[in-house]
């Protein structure tokens, strides 16, 4: 599953901060996912977990929300680091620029950023913007290179230099998830617009959709209030370590976003509902052909056991894991999060939670 990888991610917590029980509210619309949520703590090893589901049964009906959490350490309005969900925002901006004819997805990196990508078999003259968006460029993931070292690139150009110290990870056209792709796309946005990608995201997405809990922090190391804590496990002794404060510049356009449960649901509902991209460009965003069905352009599908396909992205960064999934029309969305980096048995737990929400299946014991 796509993640912002090892540079900002430490291993899973060993010691839990208290299991807790699902917090039941007075909201009348309950879903099986509420009963499933405590498993992310009991089996997944997360200190606390929360989810927010939004349903809009029809275009004419008002949406309703269902919020659940597993304990007092995590709240509905909390700001948290959303990691690689940043990529969907960046991809949306790039598609909007394509719609404005300010760039084309067939443009090469070298056309827009001459000489940036050269060396060790990497050649920006052969890498298109579509290849960056779909993770088919072959560029090495700079976060993997920095794993386990104290030297962490804090600028986009430094991250690209780290990646270029390595040969391509796959042949041209092959899918290989790499955070470097979106760091380069951030530079493309700045080259085309004259503004950094954060400014364009605020202008084009955050402000129009009134995403009041969403921000791109730049060099700011703290989270805006209100927020909880983020924890990781110290690999040396297994103790809990608070990583709430961190330098997000290492993640950049690949994963610096801060958001809320409500804002992420609103964003994906608007995107899939056609409010941010016209139908032809939305179809382009959702086209998984380049990545052989695995990934679209900044968004990816997952087919559930009942046959329903949901669209969205996951985000992993030190102290936080979040996942948003939505139906193709954007009328049913779910965002869940835990306040640590990784879920044990995530390959089973996450599909189980999504099945419970979108297939209406009660969790099995």
């Amino acid at each position: 599953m796509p993640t912002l990888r090892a540079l900002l991610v430490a291993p899973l917590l060993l010691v839990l901060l208290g299991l807790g029980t699902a917090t039941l509210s007075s909201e009348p619309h309950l879903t099986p996912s509420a009963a499933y949520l405590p498993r992310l703590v009991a089996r997944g090893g997360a200190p606390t977990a929360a989810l927010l589901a939004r349903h809009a049964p029809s275009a004419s009906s008002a949406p309703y929300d269902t919020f659940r959490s597993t304990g007092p350490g995590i709240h509905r309005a909390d700001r948290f680091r959303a990691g690689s969900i940043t990529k969907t925002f960046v991809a949306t901006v790039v598609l909007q620029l394509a719609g404005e004819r300010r760039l084309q997805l067939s443009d090469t990196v070298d056309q827009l950023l001459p000489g940036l990508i050269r060396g060790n078999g990497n050649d920006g003259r052969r890498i298109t913007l579509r290849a960056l968006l779909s993770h088919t460029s072959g560029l090495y993931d700079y976060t993997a290179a920095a794993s386990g070292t104290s030297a962490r690139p804090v600028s986009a150009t430094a991250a690209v230099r780290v990646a270029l110290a390595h040969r391509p990870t796959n042949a041209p056209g092959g899918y290989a998830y790499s955070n470097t792709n979106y760091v380069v796309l951030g530079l493309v946005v700045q080259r085309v617009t004259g503004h950094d990608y954060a400014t364009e995201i605020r202008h084009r997405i955050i402000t129009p959709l009134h995403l009041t809990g969403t921000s791109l922090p730049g060099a700011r190391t703290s989270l805006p209030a209100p927020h909880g804590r983020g924890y990781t496990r110290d690999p040396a002794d297994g103790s809990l370590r608070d990583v709430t404060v961190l330098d997000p510049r290492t993640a950049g356009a690949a994963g610096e976003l801060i958001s809320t449960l409500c804002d992420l649901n609103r964003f994906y509902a608007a995107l899939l509902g056609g409010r941010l991209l016209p139908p032809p460009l939305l179809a382009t965003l959702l086209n998984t052909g380049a990545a052989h069905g695995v990934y679209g352009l900044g968004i990816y599908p997952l087919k559930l056991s009942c046959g329903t396909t949901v669209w969205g992205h996951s985000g992993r960064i030190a102290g936080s894991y979040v996942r948003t999934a939505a139906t193709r029309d954007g009328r049913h969305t779910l965002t869940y999060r835990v306040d640590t980096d990784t879920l044990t048995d995530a390959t089973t737990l996450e599909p189980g939670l999504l099945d419970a929400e979108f297939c209406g299946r009660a969790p099995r014991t």
Side-chain angles (χ1 to χ4, degrees):
M1 179 173 298
T3 60
L4 181 65
R5 292 172 56 181
L7 176 61
L8 295 174
V9 179
L12 175 67
L13 292 163
L14 177 65
V15 183
L16 302 183
L17 295 185
L19 175 59
T21 58
T23 302
L24 298 180
S25 75
S26 60
E27 297 170 8
H29 302 286
L30 305 180
T31 65
S33 60
Y36 196 97
L37 187 68
R39 296 187 183 199
L40 304 184
V41 176
R43 286 172 47 192
T48 54
L51 65 79
L52 182 67
R54 166 157 285 206
H55 305 255
S58 69
S60 60
S61 59
Y64 58 86
D65 291 347
T66 303
F67 171 73
R68 293 293 179 271
S69 70
T70 61
I74 195 164
H75 302 97
R76 176 172 177 155
D78 281 351
R79 274 70 167 171
F80 53 83
R81 302 190 191 277
S84 285
I85 284 180
T86 310
K87 293 179 174 68
T88 314
F89 284 72
V90 171
T92 300
V93 170
V94 172
L95 267 291
Q96 288 179 344
L97 292 171
E100 296 162 10
R101 301 186 183 279
R102 300 173 73 177
L103 56 76
Q104 299 181 65
L105 300 189
S106 58
D107 289 343
T108 66
V109 174
D110 209 62
Q111 285 176 274
L112 297 169
L113 302 167
L116 177 69
I117 297 178
R118 296 284 175 85
N120 276 330
N122 301 285
D123 189 346
R125 294 170 297 184
R126 300 199 302 260
I127 297 174
T128 65
L129 301 188
R130 187 185 297 273
L132 296 174
L133 288 162
S134 61
H135 295 294
T136 56
S137 72
L139 290 174
Y140 188 86
D141 188 343
Y142 75 97
T143 66
S147 176
T149 73
S150 58
R152 297 180 174 182
V154 294
S155 72
T157 53
V160 171
R161 285 196 298 269
V162 170
L164 295 181
H166 301 263
R167 293 192 61 79
T169 55
N170 54 278
Y175 172 80
Y177 189 88
S178 172
N179 291 293
T180 307
N181 291 316
Y182 278 75
V183 167
V184 175
L185 285 167
L187 293 172
V188 167
V189 170
Q190 183 163 4
R191 173 67 178 82
V192 170
T193 66
H195 306 122
D196 61 44
Y197 66 88
T199 298
E200 291 297 318
I201 288 174
R202 283 192 290 268
H203 172 69
R204 294 168 176 272
I205 300 173
I206 293 175
T207 299
L209 295 183
H210 306 289
L211 305 181
T212 56
T214 300
S215 61
L216 293 117
R220 188 181 70 232
T221 60
S222 60
L223 285 168
H227 68 83
R229 313 302 300 176
Y231 302 95
T232 194
R233 183 203 292 178
D234 191 314
D237 60 11
S239 61
L240 293 178
R241 183 161 55 95
D242 189 316
V243 290
T244 307
V245 175
L246 60 82
D247 188 340
R249 290 176 295 171
T250 304
E256 73 159 299
L257 191 79
I258 291 170
S259 196
T260 67
L261 296 171
C262 181
D263 278 5
L264 292 181
N265 279 349
R266 185 179 302 168
F267 165 64
Y268 280 97
L271 177 62
L272 293 166
R275 292 179 56 191
L276 296 173
L277 296 171
L281 286 176
L282 182 56
T284 298
L285 187 87
L286 302 178
N287 188 334
T288 62
H292 313 291
V294 177
Y295 197 90
L297 306 184
I299 194 169
Y300 63 90
L302 178 66
K303 188 173 183 178
L304 304 179
S305 64
C306 59
T308 295
T309 295
V310 292
W311 292 84
H313 214 289
S314 58
R316 191 190 313 273
I317 193 168
S320 178
Y321 178 78
V322 57
R323 172 76 156 97
T324 300
T327 53
R328 171 60 183 81
D329 59 9
R331 291 180 182 172
H332 185 179
T333 58
L334 171 74
T335 298
Y336 86 87
R337 61 172 290 241
V338 295
D339 53 0
T340 186
D341 315 318
T342 309
L343 283 174
T344 302
D345 197 23
T347 56
T348 299
L349 287 172
E350 184 163 275
L353 177 63
L354 297 180
D355 271 350
E357 178 63 33
F358 292 97
C359 300
R361 294 179 176 174
R364 298 176 181 177
T365 57

